[in-house]
Amino acid sequence: MSKEFEFSRRDFVKKTSLGGLSLLALPTLTSMGLSEDFKKKFDIGATFILWGYGPDNLEPALADLSKLGYHSFETFGNVIQDYDEKRGGLEALIDKTGLPITSAFCMTDVLDPSKKKEELEKLIKWTKLLKRAGGKVVEYCPSSINRKDYDYKEHKKYMVESMNDYAKAVTDLGLVCALHPHTGTPIETEEEVYFIMENVNTEYMKFGPDVGQLQKGGADPVKICNDFMSLIEHVHLKDYEGGDNGYLGYAPLGEGEVNIKKILKQLEKERPSMAGAIMFELDYDRRVKPIHTTFEAAEISRDYLKKLGYKFS
């Protein structure tokens, strides 16, 4: 790793902490005279991909999510564009369902410099449409790749440069850009996550972990969330159990191996106020019939969170 992109953990803590102070120096709930059991309970939103990935899947998803009492939703940048160009805009659907939008999942290429101009224009368009609809966070993810023979070290300089530019463009438009590591993309493994998050410009690029994706990618989501806690502005709350189960190996909340309780406790204590939200997510895969209906899977996840003290409308 070149010196230009290499930061020590000590440098990273200085870089991301308030006023250059160590995170350990920040006041804790206990030091402020509050009980360690004090918890800020988040409003829980949801992504719509359990119902499918296309524009036609969004309205039925929002109808179910509204019935189940989820507080907000996330969709894709291209879906918002489709609504803008072909369906009269996303705002009408938001008014109809009463469910506000928090975020949009947006992907751009980070490996091919020749695509940069077009990809940046696309991201700017999606960001403007999201902002117009009332959204706050671009859940940013590098575009999917064939990871066979892929080595991030061969692309690291351009990856960092391009993501800095993408994140700055989003930030300049008034929204938050949060990096979402994802399986099947250039940022999947624990090593890749740490390299990128320790080298991008965190004035612009924040962190939006998907705890199930991290688990599936072989990383420790509890450790990663803790290490980058000061940068977390949005979270995909997903469980993971493995196997061909109709959910690409993921699972309704509470039915997998992700330590969701510990992650939520960390967030409640350290990140009670984020630009985005905690978003329940469960992937869509109709190649294998799942054990639950779509509504049931979302309901099971909601009820699991209710048992933890979270409230739904």
Side-chain angles (χ1 to χ4, degrees), residues 22-310:
S22 167
L23 292 175
L24 297 176
L26 295 176
T28 64
L29 294 173
T30 303
S31 68
M32 291 188 290
L34 300 175
S35 166
E36 289 186 71
D37 293 330
F38 174 84
K39 292 182 177 65
K40 160 70 167 67
K41 294 296 187 184
F42 297 104
D43 287 342
I44 307 292
T47 77
F48 85 115
I49 65 172
L50 177 58
W51 288 259
Y53 297 95
D56 291 338
N57 303 116
L58 183 57
E59 186 167 353
L62 298 193
D64 282 351
L65 292 172
S66 183
K67 288 177 186 175
L68 289 166
Y70 285 93
H71 293 272
S72 62
F73 75 96
E74 175 178 311
T75 185
F76 294 112
N78 65 292
V79 170
I80 300 177
Q81 182 176 341
D82 181 274
Y83 265 82
D84 178 66
E85 296 174 353
K86 302 175 183 177
R87 303 168 192 245
L90 192 62
E91 293 85 345
L93 180 60
I94 290 172
D95 290 342
K96 179 179 178 180
T97 62
L99 204 62
I101 188 169
T102 293
S103 49
F105 187 89
C106 301
M107 303 181 85
T108 64
D109 179 86
V110 297
L111 302 184
D112 184 352
S114 71
K115 297 180 179 179
K116 175 77 169 297
K117 183 176 182 293
E118 182 180 356
E119 293 289 89
L120 186 58
E121 290 173 352
K122 175 182 72 176
L123 182 61
I124 288 172
K125 174 184 284 190
W126 289 345
T127 301
K128 289 179 177 178
L129 291 173
L130 173 62
K131 183 177 182 179
R132 191 182 75 187
K136 300 174 182 177
V137 173
V138 168
E139 182 76 331
Y140 171 76
C141 184
S143 297
S144 300
I145 60 168
N146 182 351
R147 285 188 58 91
K148 185 183 180 191
D149 300 324
Y150 166 75
D151 184 351
Y152 80 92
K153 297 182 185 69
E154 297 175 4
H155 305 277
K156 62 184 182 181
K157 187 176 187 295
Y158 179 67
M159 286 173 64
V160 170
E161 289 174 353
S162 62
M163 279 190 271
N164 283 343
D165 289 342
Y166 293 139
K168 185 177 186 301
V170 172
T171 305
D172 287 348
L173 288 168
L175 298 192
V176 169
C177 190
L179 179 68
H180 178 292
H182 198 294
T183 55
T185 75
I187 309 174
E188 173 180 314
T189 68
E190 187 167 294
E191 181 179 355
E192 291 159 0
V193 172
Y194 276 94
F195 170 76
I196 291 298
M197 289 311 303
E198 290 176 350
N199 287 283
V200 290
N201 186 343
T202 54
E203 179 181 353
Y204 304 118
M205 184 69 83
K206 307 304 180 182
F207 194 38
D210 180 317
V211 297
Q213 291 280 352
L214 291 172
Q215 187 92 29
K216 185 176 183 179
D220 180 352
V222 174
K223 182 179 184 299
I224 287 178
C225 286
N226 186 61
D227 285 348
F228 298 109
M229 185 62 65
S230 65
L231 295 172
I232 293 178
E233 294 290 356
H234 193 66
V235 176
H236 281 190
L237 197 65
K238 188 186 296 178
D239 217 337
Y240 178 72
E241 65 179 357
D244 294 327
N245 60 356
Y247 304 119
L248 299 177
Y250 300 105
L253 299 181
E255 295 192 353
E257 57 193 57
V258 178
N259 195 337
I260 291 171
K261 290 181 182 180
K262 190 166 185 178
I263 290 167
L264 287 172
K265 187 175 181 180
Q266 287 177 325
L267 289 165
E268 287 164 357
K269 183 177 180 181
E270 304 292 343
R271 298 296 294 167
S273 179
M274 297 185 293
I278 305 291
M279 288 280 169
F280 154 66
E281 182 172 79
L282 184 56
D283 283 35
Y284 170 97
D285 175 17
R286 292 298 182 264
R287 295 173 301 174
V288 178
K289 185 176 180 179
I291 190 172
H292 307 295
T293 67
T294 297
F295 190 90
E296 287 170 347
E299 185 176 39
I300 290 167
S301 299
R302 180 205 65 181
D303 291 348
Y304 170 79
L305 291 169
K306 275 187 170 183
K307 290 178 182 177
L308 298 182
Y310 294 92

